[in-house]
């Protein structure tokens, strides 16, 4: 009898955990393009994220002000909960760092800190176009 109670309790815990997984994050629209702008100083940061057809990677682009070429990173991984991050290093110095997560299939929260862009930093919600 004790074994049966333990098995039922374990099953309830597993099912409870499995049904709560979506609360930890959202997955992006496969092939979706998300855009937004971080209002920062000294330069605004224009963000474009293009999700791959698999939904497991993306191309991340940010534009530092005007008159500069965009920074583009291909193959940024997106985990099963919709979280992503990327750090560009030069030796032991962090040149820029981005981290974020999808809050729904149509929106993602992104935080970016860029020494390469005059120290511009901030966060925004990008939306599906």
């Amino acid at each position: 009898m004790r074994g049966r109670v333990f098995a039922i309790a374990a099953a309830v815990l597993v099912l409870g955990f499995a049904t709560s997984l979506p609360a930890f994050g959202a997955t992006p629209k496969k092939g979706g393009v998300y855009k937004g702008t971080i209002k920062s100083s000294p330069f605004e940061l224009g963000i474009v994220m293009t999700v791959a057809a698999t939904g497991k990677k993306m191309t991340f682009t940010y534009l530092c002000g005007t008159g500069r070429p965009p920074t583009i990173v291909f193959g940024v991984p997106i985990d099963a909960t919709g979280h992503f991050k990327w750090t560009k290093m030069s030796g032991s110095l962090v040149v820029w760092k981005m981290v974020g997560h999808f809050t729904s299939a149509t929106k993602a929260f992104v935080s970016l800190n860029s020494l390469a862009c005059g120290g511009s930093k901030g966060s925004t919600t990008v939306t599906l176009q």
Side-chain angles (χ1 to χ4, degrees):
M1 181 69 176
R2 181 178 276 176
R4 178 178 263 169
V5 170
F6 179 76
I8 291 171
V12 168
L13 285 173
V14 168
L15 287 173
F17 179 74
T19 58
S20 69
L21 283 178
F24 290 113
T27 55
K29 181 178 189 306
K30 295 177 180 179
V33 177
Y34 299 77
K35 294 182 180 180
T37 303
I38 296 174
K39 307 285 187 195
S40 61
S41 179
F43 303 105
E44 287 188 348
L45 301 165
I47 308 293
V48 178
M49 299 177 355
T50 305
V51 177
T54 62
K56 295 181 180 182
K57 292 188 178 193
M58 72 173 167
T59 298
F60 179 83
T61 304
Y62 81 89
L63 183 62
C64 173
T66 59
R68 297 178 188 207
T71 298
I72 303 170
V73 178
F74 299 94
V76 175
I78 302 169
D79 72 16
T81 63
H83 288 78
F84 51 87
K85 63 182 174 180
W86 190 267
T87 302
K88 171 67 176 167
M89 303 286 291
S90 178
S92 62
L93 178 68
V94 174
V95 178
W96 65 271
K97 182 177 183 175
M98 172 272 297
V99 64
H101 63 277
F102 288 89
T103 57
S104 72
T106 61
K107 293 183 180 181
F109 176 80
V110 180
S111 178
L112 178 63
N113 186 348
S114 177
L115 287 176
C117 188
S120 292
K121 62 183 174 180
S123 59
T124 193
T125 298
V126 295
T127 56
L128 181 65
Q129 301 298 295

